[in-house]
Amino acid sequence: MGTRKQSSTYTRNEKLIINCNMSYAVHVIGGRWKLLLLDKIRKGTSRYSDLKKEFSYISERMLTLQLKSMEQDGLIIRNVFAEVPIRVEYTLTPAATELIPILDLLSTWGSKQRALQGDNS
Amino acid sequence: MGTRKQSSTYTRNEKLIINCNMSYAVHVIGGRWKLLLLDKIRKGTSRYSDLKKEFSYISERMLTLQLKSMEQDGLIIRNVFAEVPIRVEYTLTPAATELIPILDLLSTWGSKQRALQGDNS
DNA sequence: CGGGATCCAATTTGATACTG
DNA sequence: CAGTATCAAATTGGATCCCG
């Protein structure tokens, strides 16, 4: 019984996901803003309004969708505080925490590769 | 002076790529079939017609586009043999080879995570 | 054989307005 | 504050036909 229903990037041809765990991982982190959000949350910015301020160029709709997708994929936990102005904070799951060092490797590779390829600012 | 011009997944808001090398890496490998192709090429299947046969469910258009994008991003090299029936083989670049172990980590993480999340085959 | 070009469908993203 | 809902625009993917 999967919790995941929608939020799937590739709904039609899931062969990709079925036979490749790499692709699954990339699928999970591959949303347009997910890595950026993951990085911010990891570094302590956890509140919805703060993320919204930080990434003013991301539409609220996308912000919400990506966060929701990450929540469904077990990357983040959504904590709701029933205060007077409601407060929502996001924290990383253990799975996401395990992912961080791998993402750092990707980051290193990426910067090296960009240098080689020639950056188009 | 960038060799890359098109083939960009996100043409409008490149802020993402500008301030996040992780995102760049994911961008480079994030194409729908790229990881699958990378994996095959890595394992020795390098000829266009073989890839086409292997991934019969990928349209030729996509196969070509993804290969071209990977070539532009410095992941693979396209070797053309001017024989009678023309032959084209693809090989990994050193950069792609460096990427492989990182992808393996992602694969491991992915399979673990899928088990936790409950797979919806 | 190894694509390229064209046309069309599916999916994703964005802008804006509204709500508990 | 923290989202939803709705509609439109941009991007991506697929089918088919053509070419050196």
Side-chain angles (χ1 to χ4, degrees):
Chain A
M1 353 57 191
T3 319
R4 299 168 58 251
K5 292 164 90 176
Q6 18 154 269
S7 91
S8 213
T9 306
Y10 304 126
T11 46
R12 276 176 302 183
N13 201 333
E14 303 241 348
K15 284 165 198 151
L16 168 150
I17 289 183
I18 289 169
N19 58 23
C20 188
N21 288 315
M22 267 191 285
S23 296
Y24 174 76
V26 170
H27 160 74
V28 164
I29 61 176
R32 178 157 181 185
W33 312 109
K34 288 182 187 175
L35 286 179
L36 244 38
L37 292 171
L38 214 56
D39 196 54
K40 266 298 169 210
I41 295 172
R42 158 202 191 184
K43 286 176 179 161
T45 305
S46 58
R47 194 167 169 182
Y48 181 85
S49 54
D50 290 336
L51 292 172
K52 188 167 125 187
K53 225 182 306 172
E54 179 75 28
F55 301 111
S56 55
Y57 50 86
I58 305 180
S59 69
E60 277 197 69
R61 181 173 169 281
M62 273 302 106
L63 186 56
T64 304
L65 283 179
Q66 300 270 287
L67 287 170
K68 188 160 286 184
S69 170
M70 290 164 75
E71 188 192 359
Q72 288 186 355
D73 287 336
L75 292 180
I76 59 176
I77 296 169
R78 180 168 176 273
N79 305 100
V80 184
F81 299 87
E83 304 175 346
V84 181
I86 196 174
R87 180 163 55 101
V88 175
E89 290 187 357
Y90 294 92
T91 53
L92 296 190
T93 61
T97 305
E98 285 179 36
L99 194 54
I100 296 293
I102 305 179
L103 296 180
D104 284 338
L105 290 176
L106 275 181
S107 181
T108 304
W109 181 89
S111 78
K112 196 174 156 191
Q113 182 66 0
R114 285 175 74 175
L116 285 176
Q117 285 299 105
D119 195 339
N120 48 355
S121 73
Chain B
M1 335 77 198
T3 319
R4 301 169 56 251
K5 291 165 91 177
Q6 19 155 267
S7 92
S8 213
T9 307
Y10 304 126
T11 46
R12 272 176 305 182
N13 200 333
E14 302 240 349
K15 285 165 197 153
L16 169 149
I17 289 181
I18 289 169
N19 57 25
C20 189
N21 287 316
M22 269 191 283
S23 296
Y24 174 76
V26 170
H27 160 75
V28 164
I29 61 175
R32 178 156 182 186
W33 313 109
K34 288 183 187 175
L35 287 179
L36 245 38
L37 292 171
L38 214 56
D39 196 54
K40 265 301 168 210
I41 294 173
R42 159 202 189 183
K43 287 174 179 162
T45 305
S46 59
R47 193 167 169 184
Y48 182 84
S49 54
D50 290 336
L51 293 171
K52 188 167 126 187
K53 226 182 305 173
E54 178 75 28
F55 302 110
S56 56
Y57 50 87
I58 305 180
S59 69
E60 277 197 68
R61 180 173 170 279
M62 274 301 107
L63 186 57
T64 303
L65 284 179
Q66 301 270 286
L67 287 170
K68 185 159 286 185
S69 170
M70 291 164 74
E71 188 192 0
Q72 288 187 354
D73 288 336
L75 292 180
I76 58 176
I77 296 169
R78 181 168 177 272
N79 306 100
V80 184
F81 299 87
E83 304 176 345
V84 180
I86 197 173
R87 180 163 56 101
V88 175
E89 290 187 354
Y90 294 92
T91 52
L92 296 191
T93 62
T97 305
E98 286 178 36
L99 194 55
I100 296 292
I102 305 179
L103 296 180
D104 284 337
L105 290 176
L106 275 182
S107 181
T108 303
W109 182 90
S111 77
K112 196 173 156 191
Q113 182 65 359
R114 285 174 75 175
L116 285 176
Q117 286 296 106
D119 194 342
N120 49 356
S121 71

